[in-house]
Amino acid sequence: MADPAAAVAAAALRIPITSRPLDEYCALFGLTRAELAAVPGPVLDCPGGAAGLTAEARALGCRVIAADPVYAAPPPVVAARALAGREVMAGAIRSAPHLYPAPRHLPYERYLRSWDRARRLFTADTAAHPHDYIAAALPRLPFTDHTFALTLSAYLLLAHPETFTPERQLAGLLELARVTAPGGEVRVYPLHDGAGRRCPHLDDLRRALGGRRVSSEIRVFPRPGDGRTRRVLVLTHAFTARTGKGRTGDSAAR
């Protein structure tokens, strides 16, 4: 019988590789550089792609571990796929500009150049710090329980419903929660697919998470520049009222 997790990993390898810089991560997840620097433990970026986050965060004194199945490939292959991902993004901006900040707020060529810089940082950093880049795919990550103080997951589980069924989305979210420490957070963005369609079963996912003692909420953050907002799914560990610690699972049904 085929391994479902292996099938998901193989499908995930077909998703375009992105090269987002640290400042874009901060904008996506409602973080500042100071907040990232103050995280009291390692941060997980899953999927890491060819982002500059691990390299740039290290300069802030924050250790980021990136996990992505693409890291099993030789670095030149990853770099080539990242360059192809840049062209996919350029095409998406041209074909659906309404999904992206208006050029007056962030000129498209400037935005794409920030990806070029992040890709170069990634390439250099994987050579200098290879142990910070782990070849792994949801829903099975090779980390012990409660390893990370903060977990970030961009443009994967809810963004690609053609790859991640609702059951696989739930399994992926639970895995991200498993490797995140009590008191820490999992932040997931976006809550829509590539065409801007919101996940139609997000409430069901949140109820299922609550039933497994993972609390959830949707936080709304301002999107820099154009006055619009971003909705981020935030997961935390739920504790029973008897312990007197943390939240209950009630927030998952909100």
Side-chain angles (χ1 to χ4, degrees):
M1 181 181 296
D3 182 351
V8 175
L13 281 170
R14 296 192 289 271
I15 295 172
I17 300 299
T18 59
S19 305
R20 304 179 194 278
L22 180 150
D23 285 338
E24 185 171 358
Y25 270 83
C26 287
L28 292 179
F29 291 107
L31 294 165
T32 65
R33 286 178 171 240
E35 288 170 339
L36 193 59
V39 173
V43 175
L44 174 64
D45 178 19
C46 180
L53 177 65
T54 299
E56 293 183 272
R58 189 181 297 104
L60 300 177
C62 174
R63 187 185 184 199
V64 175
I65 301 297
D68 197 304
V70 76
Y71 300 153
V77 173
V78 180
R81 288 200 57 199
L83 183 58
R86 191 247 201 219
E87 297 311 309
V88 169
M89 175 57 75
I93 289 173
R94 289 192 295 268
S95 63
H98 62 285
L99 297 177
Y100 302 91
R104 66 180 180 275
H105 299 297
L106 182 60
Y108 295 152
E109 283 306 313
R110 177 181 164 193
Y111 174 59
L112 292 171
R113 285 197 300 272
S114 76
W115 277 36
D116 294 335
R117 176 178 175 274
R119 188 175 66 252
R120 291 192 295 270
L121 285 172
F122 165 83
T123 300
D125 201 59
T126 54
H129 302 278
H131 298 300
D132 286 346
Y133 297 86
I134 307 298
L138 291 170
R140 294 180 182 171
L141 298 178
F143 307 115
T144 59
D145 294 357
H146 307 158
T147 297
F148 300 98
L150 174 66
T151 295
L152 305 176
S153 184
Y155 289 95
L156 185 66
L157 291 173
L158 305 184
H160 294 279
E162 72 285 355
T163 298
F164 294 93
T165 63
E167 293 78 13
R168 290 170 175 173
Q169 290 169 345
L170 177 60
L173 293 170
L174 288 170
E175 182 71 350
L176 293 174
R178 179 188 69 80
V179 302
T180 304
E185 292 182 343
V186 178
R187 297 193 184 191
V188 178
Y189 179 87
L191 311 186
H192 56 262
D193 65 12
R197 295 179 293 251
R198 290 186 179 179
C199 176
H201 52 270
L202 183 57
D203 288 345
D204 293 336
L205 284 173
R206 296 180 64 200
R207 279 189 287 270
L209 288 165
R212 290 161 176 79
R213 303 184 71 223
V214 176
S215 295
S216 69
E217 63 178 298
I218 295 174
R219 292 188 196 160
V220 179
F221 297 102
R223 193 164 83 172
D226 62 2
R228 297 166 66 184
T229 58
R230 284 194 172 94
R231 290 158 50 88
V232 176
L233 179 65
V234 180
L235 310 181
T236 55
H237 288 278
F239 297 89
T240 62
R242 182 173 56 83
T243 66
K245 298 178 182 179
R247 310 181 203 185
T248 69
D250 295 342
S251 62
R254 287 191 309 205

